């Protein structure tokens, strides 16, 4: 059985400013750099092997991954990049459309604005994870990615998730992978 640790990137300038990142990017803050080092320490303390580390091709994820990896090689992977928010990119979060009644996500609300459907994002992330699971012999695999990408995967896998629970910077979704299936075991805050 393989273990996947999907780590959301650490705090960025846009996170601090309350702006949407999506496909746009912003650098890690000093706090984000410290959070990445604390996440690295969490992996060390828990005995998670850091030989297989993948990162979204976006700057905030690859910078977080470099700090977590220390001297280990990071493998870039486009399939786990963040959701495209269309015309809302780099804008204040408060202008995003509100979820439909009873919805757990944006669903396809951003598509008319040039964005992606959350289920398509989840499908893309899932496909990337399965490819790595089949090709990488490592038992522990760390992937540094993004909040909406993590949520898209949850939606795509149709996992029941407690109301109001989200993914803060540096939160880790720990999945077990066996016989072609991903099973969410827990969401971890390595900073606590």
């Amino acid at each position: 059985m393989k273990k996947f640790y999907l780590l959301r990137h650490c705090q960025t300038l846009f996170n601090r400013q309350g702006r949407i990142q999506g496909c746009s990017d912003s650098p890690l803050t000093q706090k984000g750099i410290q959070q990445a080092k604390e996440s690295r320490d969490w992996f060390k303390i828990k005995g998670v092997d850091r030989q297989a580390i993948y990162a979204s091709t976006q700057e905030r994820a690859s910078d977080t991954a470099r700090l977590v990896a220390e001297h280990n090689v990071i493998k870039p992977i486009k399939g786990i990049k963040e959701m495209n928010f269309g015309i809302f990119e780099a804008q204040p979060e408060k202008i995003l459309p509100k979820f439909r009644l009873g919805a757990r996500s944006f669903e396809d609300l951003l598509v008319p604005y040039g964005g992606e459907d959350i289920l398509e994002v989840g499908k893309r992330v899932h496909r990337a994870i399965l490819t790595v699971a089949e090709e990488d012999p490592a038992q522990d695999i760390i992937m540094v990615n993004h909040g909406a990408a993590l949520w898209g995967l949850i939606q795509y896998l149709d996992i029941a998730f407690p109301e109001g629970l989200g993914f803060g910077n540096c939160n880790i979704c720990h999945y077990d992978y066996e016989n072609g299936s991903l099973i969410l075991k827990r969401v971890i805050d390595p900073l606590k």
Side-chain angles (χ1 to χ4, degrees), residues 7-11 28-46 50 53 60-71 142 144 169-172 189-192:
L7 169 67
R8 183 180 177 213
H9 63 81
C10 298
Q11 187 192 67
L28 294 179
T29 61
Q30 285 304 311
K31 180 179 180 179
I33 291 167
Q34 183 57 38
Q35 289 173 332
K37 291 175 181 177
E38 290 176 33
S39 298
R40 174 198 62 214
D41 294 345
W42 182 89
F43 285 115
K44 285 180 176 180
I45 289 165
K46 297 298 180 182
R50 292 174 301 130
I53 299 182
R60 58 196 185 267
S62 58
D63 287 351
T64 298
R66 268 192 284 287
L67 291 164
V68 169
E70 285 182 306
H71 307 294
I142 299 169
V144 183
N169 291 120
C170 303
N171 282 180
I172 301 166
D189 183 348
L191 307 179
K192 290 189 176 184

Side-chain angles (χ1 to χ4, degrees), residues 129-146:
I129 291 170
L130 294 184
T131 299
V132 169
E134 296 303 318
E135 293 177 359
D136 194 316
Q139 293 304 299
D140 291 341
I141 298 172
I142 299 169
M143 294 182 138
V144 183
N145 60 1
H146 310 272

